[in-house]
């Protein structure tokens, strides 16, 4: 029987363990080594106390023999470098500890005994090294390696981060310093929020807030969307600037803690409804004034805030549609007009709401 293997689909893979010493001597965050961070990778996300705890737990796993997930490295044609496709934070954490970037068990690496340093340096990590793998092959590899692990929409989008919609989302939103500041210094590069930002970009680019869904299936396959869609970058930037104007004015007029500012990152909280009216309005200043008053109510505390939040109640950003957005806007407008007393509980959108 002839072979049924499609050799055009075969990925050239070499799997082998790499010692930590090899990793930390070949890697440098400034990309001066042979193991490099490719262009477009997210920024360092393991920050503050929570991030330090993640780094220390990884070092703990090194010393006490706990399993450490495989890293994926890809070697491109005509390049001597290996690009980190998955595992950047693991590799950089090892490098940071080796270079006295933080303490484990209240000791820097240079303060450890020779024996403990040896244990660290000789520990190996499983590595999958590919040769000239395409972006789609790398994405498929990421998903297969994580088979059995519940992957979220943001994980599936991260695996396809070089496709047009996701790549431009990272450029337009994840690198937007003004938006980050307006949301209380939020780290926009955290992977769990990627579906939220992709939803925002998709809805703005298509000028349809009903497309602000965090569902990977819908983002990848709904008519008019798709991960290869051409993004209207100019329009997205204009809309994001208007949203920043709104948030900045609210932060000035109705100041709250940064943690409360960050709640407005979710497209199903305010953004989808605000943008639905902003995109359709001829006089956008009226929309800005209306939603500034709404933000004021949401930040006022007490029954007023609860009632306003209940008026904005949704079923979650995965399920946002044009019809559902309009239903919510009708309810908001009825409440603001004093026609409809809202008694529903606030069912805040929890889709992909984690901090990395």
């Amino acid at each position: 029987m002839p072979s049924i293997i499609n050799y055009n689909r075969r990925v050239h893979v070499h799997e082998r363990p790499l010692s930590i010493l090899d990793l930390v001597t070949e890697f440098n965050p400034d990309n001066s080594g042979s193991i490099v961070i490719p262009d477009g990778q997210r920024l360092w996300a393991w920050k503050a106390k929570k991030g330090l705890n993640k780094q220390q737990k990884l070092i703990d796993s090194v010393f006490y023999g706990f399993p450490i997930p495989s890293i994926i490295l890809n070697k491109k044609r005509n390049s001597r470098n290996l690009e980190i496709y998955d595992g950047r934070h693991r590799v950089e954490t090892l490098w940071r500890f080796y270079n006295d970037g933080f303490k484990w068990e209240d000791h820097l690496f240079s303060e450890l005994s020779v024996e403990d340093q040896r244990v660290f340096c000789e520990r190996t990590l499983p590595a999958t090294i590919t040769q000239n793998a395409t972006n789609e092959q790398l994405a498929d590899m990421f998903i297969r390696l994580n088979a059995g692990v519940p992957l979220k929409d943001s994980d599936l989008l991260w695996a396809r981060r070089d496709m047009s919609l996701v790549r431009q989302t990272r450029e337009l939103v994840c690198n937007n310093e003004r938006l980050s500041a307006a949301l209380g210094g939020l780290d926009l590069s955290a992977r769990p929020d990627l579906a939220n930002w992709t939803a925002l970009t998709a809805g703005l680019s298509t000028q349809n807030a009903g497309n602000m869904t965090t569902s990977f299936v819908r983002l990848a396959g709904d008519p008019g969307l798709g991960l290869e869609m051409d993004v209207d970058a100019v329009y997205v930037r204009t809309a994001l600037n208007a949203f920043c104007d709104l948030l900045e004015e609210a932060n000035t007029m109705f100041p709250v803690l940064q943690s409360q500012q960050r709640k407005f990152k979710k497209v199903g909280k305010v953004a989808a409804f605000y943008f639905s009216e902003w995109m359709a309005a001829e006089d956008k200043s009226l929309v800005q004034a209306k939603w500034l008053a709404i933000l004021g109510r949401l930040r006022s505390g007490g029954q007023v805030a609860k009632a306003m939040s209940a008026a904005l109640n949704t079923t979650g950003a995965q399920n946002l549609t044009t019809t559902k957005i309009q239903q919510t806007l009708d309810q908001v407008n009825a409440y603001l007009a004093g026609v409809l007393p809202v008694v529903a509980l606030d069912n805040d959108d929890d889709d992909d709401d984690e901090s990395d």
Side-chain angles (χ1 to χ4, degrees):
M1 178 178 177
S3 173
I4 61 171
I5 298 173
N6 181 352
Y7 283 88
N8 291 326
R9 288 191 56 206
R10 281 180 63 87
V11 182
H12 298 285
V13 171
H14 178 53
E15 294 179 334
R16 65 185 178 94
L18 291 176
S19 73
I20 290 178
L21 182 61
D22 287 338
L23 287 171
V24 299
T25 54
E26 294 298 326
F27 171 81
N28 194 303
D30 66 5
N31 277 357
S32 59
S34 61
I35 297 177
V36 300
I37 303 170
D39 292 339
Q41 272 272 22
R42 62 179 176 152
L43 301 176
W44 178 257
W46 286 4
K47 300 175 180 177
K49 184 176 180 180
K50 185 176 181 180
L52 177 59
N53 182 256
K54 288 185 176 183
Q55 295 179 74
Q56 291 171 332
K57 282 189 174 181
L58 176 62
I59 303 305
D60 200 74
S61 294
V62 169
F63 281 112
Y64 290 112
F66 286 88
I68 299 174
S70 174
I71 60 175
I72 303 176
L73 305 173
N74 184 43
K75 189 175 189 301
K76 290 191 173 181
R77 185 175 286 108
N78 299 324
S79 173
R80 70 179 187 88
N81 294 332
L82 293 170
E83 294 187 346
I84 303 174
Y85 179 76
D86 188 57
R88 176 265 176 95
H89 279 70
R90 273 161 273 158
V91 174
E92 187 162 344
T93 292
L94 298 172
W95 180 89
R96 287 178 177 224
F97 181 66
Y98 181 77
N99 288 280
D100 286 348
F102 63 93
K103 292 184 177 182
W104 171 77
E105 295 292 344
D106 204 31
H107 285 76
L108 296 170
F109 179 79
S110 62
E111 297 170 341
L112 299 177
S113 68
V114 173
E115 174 61 17
D116 287 351
Q117 290 182 358
R118 182 192 64 78
V119 170
F120 178 84
C121 290
E122 292 183 358
R123 175 69 195 269
T124 59
L125 271 67
T128 299
I129 303 173
T130 63
Q131 183 82 26
N132 301 323
T134 65
N135 292 332
E136 190 58 36
Q137 286 174 326
L138 288 167
D140 197 13
M141 190 180 307
F142 171 84
I143 293 168
R144 293 180 187 220
L145 286 173
N146 286 278
V149 178
L151 294 177
K152 294 190 175 185
D153 295 294
S154 286
D155 295 321
L156 296 171
L157 288 165
W158 176 251
R160 293 165 174 82
R161 58 189 176 274
D162 291 312
M163 300 187 77
S164 178
L165 174 59
V166 190
R167 175 176 51 78
Q168 292 190 72
T169 293
R170 288 159 50 218
E171 293 171 358
L172 295 166
V173 183
C174 299
N175 294 329
N176 192 316
E177 294 182 1
R178 187 183 176 199
L179 181 61
S180 171
L183 289 170
L186 182 69
D187 177 9
L188 304 181
S189 69
R191 187 190 301 183
D193 289 331
L194 183 59
N196 189 71
W197 306 134
T198 306
L200 189 64
T201 302
L204 293 178
S205 183
T206 57
Q207 298 187 37
N208 180 356
N211 287 332
M212 290 184 183
T213 172
T214 58
S215 165
F216 172 79
V217 172
R218 286 184 58 196
L219 287 168
D222 267 17
L225 294 177
L227 302 183
E228 292 288 7
M229 67 175 285
D230 292 325
V231 173
D232 186 342
V234 174
Y235 190 86
V236 172
R237 287 193 183 96
T238 300
L240 288 177
N241 283 334
F243 191 45
C244 287
D245 288 341
L246 176 67
L247 293 173
E248 289 165 355
E249 191 166 359
N251 291 341
T252 299
M253 295 183 64
F254 314 108
V256 291
L257 297 174
Q258 285 187 326
S259 58
Q260 293 175 290
Q261 292 177 21
R262 291 168 186 166
K263 290 183 178 180
F264 292 92
K265 70 179 181 180
K266 302 177 186 177
V267 294
K269 180 78 171 180
V270 163
F273 313 110
Y274 159 77
F275 278 123
S276 180
E277 295 196 325
W278 183 88
M279 288 187 286
E282 291 186 10
D283 188 347
K284 299 189 185 305
S285 64
L286 294 178
V287 176
Q288 295 292 94
K290 172 184 177 178
W291 283 91
L292 180 61
I294 290 174
L295 290 182
R297 287 173 179 253
L298 289 172
R299 294 181 172 189
S300 65
Q303 292 302 313
V304 171
K306 289 181 180 179
M308 189 72 257
S309 185
L312 283 161
N313 182 57
T314 67
T315 57
Q318 280 196 334
N319 302 313
L320 278 179
T321 62
T322 302
T323 299
K324 290 182 178 179
I325 288 174
Q326 189 56 55
Q327 289 173 346
T328 299
L329 286 173
D330 290 343
Q331 180 166 285
V332 167
N333 291 332
Y335 168 69
L336 293 175
V339 176
L340 178 67
V342 178
V343 295
L345 295 176
D346 181 14
N347 179 30
D348 207 8
D349 169 26
D350 286 328
D351 294 340
D352 273 341
D353 183 29
E354 296 180 10
S355 297
D356 196 357

